[in-house]
Amino acid sequence: MDRVYKGYLQHNDISPGNVLLHFPEDKVSEVYIGVCDWGLASRVCETTPSRYGYPSDEARTEAFKERGSFVAPELWYTYGKPNSETSYETVRRRHLYTQAADAYSVGVVANMIWKDEDDFDLFKDTAGKARFAVALKELTNPDPKSRSTLRLVHATLTAPPYNFQIPECCYRKHI
């Protein structure tokens, strides 16, 4: 996703169903992670309104139960009657997809993937695992202004002590 952002794009729909994991048979200690379903993607410069607006708190609560944990809090809203200050057309312009919203979703999915990981080669010690968890947790800060960026987390995880290697291509290159 860091490479996607360098291209000034955002996915706008990160969830476990849109993350592909590939475990090469010849490299049992490696996993390649891909992202699919780019149908809602947009350019960073676009003002793409959130699709998580609902006419009532009850409808929003029901939708949140179905999909909520992967969607940044700032994308959820309830709108009011047409031609009012809280009309759908007015309120939706205040709830835009952003890289911060994508970072939140990436953080939720990454925490799901890594929460029970105890690989000694990856973490080296308990403190290393704690630093790793903090780096990922900072992506899910409910306040988008205080939320970490994918670029910062990427820089943290590719530097010592982690030194994660970022693949140069998608695992499907050789298919």
Side-chain angles (χ1 to χ4, degrees):
M1 291 305 296
D2 184 59
R3 287 187 180 177
V4 169
Y5 292 157
K6 287 177 182 173
Y8 301 102
L9 298 171
Q10 53 201 34
H11 188 276
N12 301 334
D13 192 23
I14 298 291
S15 68
N18 290 338
V19 175
L20 305 171
L21 301 177
H22 173 68
F23 302 91
E25 290 181 22
D26 59 333
K27 299 176 183 175
V28 294
S29 65
E30 293 185 17
V31 60
Y32 296 100
I33 301 172
V35 179
C36 65
D37 190 359
W38 291 85
L40 295 175
S42 63
R43 296 200 174 278
V44 171
C45 62
E46 295 173 3
T47 52
T48 306
S50 165
R51 67 181 200 276
Y52 296 102
Y54 296 89
S56 69
D57 289 338
E58 295 80 20
R60 187 184 72 214
T61 300
E62 280 304 308
F64 183 84
K65 287 178 187 175
E66 182 179 315
R67 181 144 177 99
S69 63
F70 306 108
V71 179
E74 66 270 19
L75 295 177
W76 293 93
Y77 62 95
T78 303
Y79 56 86
K81 297 180 182 195
N83 303 318
S84 71
E85 278 296 309
T86 60
S87 73
Y88 174 72
E89 288 303 321
T90 301
V91 175
R92 71 190 290 250
R93 285 185 231 132
R94 295 182 204 142
H95 299 272
L96 304 176
Y97 285 108
T98 62
Q99 287 185 334
D102 258 8
Y104 181 92
S105 299
V106 168
V108 171
V109 173
N111 277 301
M112 289 175 65
I113 292 169
W114 294 101
K115 71 178 179 174
D116 295 325
E117 184 62 54
D118 282 326
D119 187 333
F120 179 78
D121 291 332
L122 176 64
F123 298 117
K124 311 293 186 232
D125 56 31
T126 307
K129 183 175 182 178
R131 287 190 303 271
F132 183 87
V134 167
L136 292 182
K137 189 70 176 159
E138 288 174 351
L139 290 173
T140 59
N141 187 319
D143 178 3
K145 292 179 179 151
S146 299
R147 190 174 299 145
S148 187
T149 65
L150 285 175
R151 183 165 287 166
L152 179 60
V153 170
H154 175 269
T156 299
L157 297 180
T158 55
Y162 308 109
N163 300 315
F164 282 157
Q165 299 299 307
I166 306 301
E168 290 302 315
C169 65
C170 173
Y171 68 87
R172 293 168 36 133
K173 179 178 179 182
H174 303 291
I175 292 179

